[in-house]
Amino acid sequence: MELNNARYTIGGVSVHDIVREHAAPVYVYDSERIVANYHQLKDAFKGVNVKLKYACKALSNINVLKLLKTEGSGLDTVSIQEARIGLKAGFEAKEILFTPNSVGFDEIREAVNMGLAINIDELGILEQFGSEFGSSVPCCIRLNPHIMAGGNSHISVGHIDSKFGISIHQVPHIKRIVKNYGIHVNGLHMHTGSDILDADVFLRGAKLLYDAAAEFDELEFMDFGSGFKVKYKEGDVTTDIEDIGQRISASFKEFCKSYGRELELWFEPGKYIVSDAGYFLVQVNVVKQTTSTVFAGVNSGQNHLLRPMMYDAYHKITNVSNPNGPERIYSVVGYICESDTLGYDRRLTEVRIGDILAISNTGAYGFSMSSNYNSRLRPAEVLVKDGKAHLIRKREKLEDLLANQVELDI
Ligand SMILES: *Cc1c(COP(=O)(O)O)cnc(C)c1O
């Protein structure tokens, strides 16, 4: 979002024009930023055959998928429904990696029938997979290297008691299953969470995967998942992509040499690709002064943006309607019957009823985690592309809330 002549724009389009046309609350995504993020990440890995599989749980609007498909991305999916949306968006089945957790074998079988690339993260499932498909269908194995990513346990999925992956200490057991059924293991995978600060954590995990790779001789790729941290506020330490790219590329080249073959290097970025491309625009309903706080109450809440409540996440908030106003301190809260604070003690330019606030970094896990709590309608989504704001999801209507309710004659 840019400020020029007291006017905020996203991708060159005036924020106020977007609100005038599509109303608030509305999620707005800047397609140019999405594309730039994709290429910045891809280009950071030099001299290796890198493939990005966009983790579409971050933002699964079909138009965003189509945009990334056009740029050459693959897809990482965690449910059959995501994979089906991926197919509809034009991805080939083999470009779609299916990385579920705790799903029944039916869903794995369906994924095989669809032709998806399969990632298995549990020994029992691996055995079933072997007994049903033998060597006829390749699979990737998700390992848990037990490294901690960042300090926030909500988004660390590599620690010892995590439900994700098969422990790296169980490689001998994996090998026995693989050998018994002749399973073709074509990749090894790890994903340790969303908060990795630097190359060191990645490289520690990578090293463990390289060691494990020596036990599998039909590998075609190594998948290091995601964990690229993005900047939420000034002063945040973020992943240095160039540094990480260089160091991982170098270590991967070494690994390929010792493995004896050039493998593909996969990543599954979600947040990194779409987070800072998204803004959530909300409108101020009330400004309420209490004994200690001034609340700005907006026409949205945790039903539309859950991250502040769920992860204690910080999202920058800007009053786009009053760029030159004096600054005051506000707590920005939602209209849900919960204490759904979107931002505590924020310095905003003076907030008046009717003002539009832009909540930054909401491209990832914003709309995709939204709900109908309090029977509120989900907002519209807009994609700014080629200097135009395109509606890519209609705002819900009351009929949508009732569509699947079965009304009895009571
Ligand atoms: C969520 C997830 C990702 C994406 O994580 P980000 O932090 O959004 O980049 C990648 N891989 C898997 C398996 C995931 O579950």
Side-chain angles (χ1 to χ4, degrees), residues 53-58 76-78 97 99-100 119 142 155 157 164 189-195 223-230 267-274 364-365:
K53 309 272 165 183
Y54 168 58
C56 69
K57 73 176 190 284
D76 181 58
T77 61
V78 293
L97 179 63
T99 304
N119 198 354
R142 178 173 189 170
I155 42 187
V157 295
F164 297 99
H189 169 276
M190 67 167 182
H191 168 69
T192 48
S194 293
D195 227 356
D223 183 346
F224 291 164
S226 185
F228 305 103
K229 195 172 153 72
V230 300
F267 290 97
E268 304 161 345
K271 211 184 245 186
Y272 192 86
I273 306 283
V274 293
Y365 309 107

Side-chain angles (χ1 to χ4, degrees), residues 27 57-59 152 154-155 193-195 228-233 236 270-272 274-276 278 280 300-316 339-344 346 359-371:
Y27 275 97
K57 73 176 190 284
L59 170 54
N152 188 333
H154 294 298
I155 42 187
S194 293
D195 227 356
F228 305 103
K229 195 172 153 72
V230 300
K231 183 161 154 182
Y232 285 95
K233 57 176 183 288
D236 266 3
K271 211 184 245 186
Y272 192 86
V274 293
S275 180
D276 70 354
F280 184 41
S300 177
Q302 69 174 75
N303 52 327
H304 296 158
L305 180 62
L306 188 58
R307 295 190 80 255
M309 293 287 280
M310 185 147 158
Y311 303 122
D312 208 13
Y314 180 99
H315 288 266
K316 186 178 162 198
S339 297
D340 57 341
T341 303
L342 298 168
Y344 288 103
R346 298 301 179 83
I359 309 178
S360 296
N361 273 103
T362 43
Y365 309 107
F367 187 92
S368 69
M369 291 179 97
S370 67
S371 77

Side-chain angles (χ1 to χ4, degrees), residues 275-345:
S275 180
D276 70 354
Y279 298 87
F280 184 41
L281 307 178
V282 297
Q283 188 156 33
V284 176
N285 283 336
V286 294
V287 178
K288 180 178 194 169
Q289 190 125 20
T290 66
T291 46
S292 61
T293 308
V294 185
F295 288 103
V298 300
N299 65 350
S300 177
Q302 69 174 75
N303 52 327
H304 296 158
L305 180 62
L306 188 58
R307 295 190 80 255
M309 293 287 280
M310 185 147 158
Y311 303 122
D312 208 13
Y314 180 99
H315 288 266
K316 186 178 162 198
I317 302 175
T318 309
N319 182 359
V320 296
S321 297
N322 192 13
N324 298 322
E327 284 188 344
R328 295 187 63 189
I329 295 170
Y330 298 90
S331 278
V332 178
V333 294
Y335 58 13
I336 291 297
C337 292
E338 302 272 347
S339 297
D340 57 341
T341 303
L342 298 168
Y344 288 103
D345 281 355

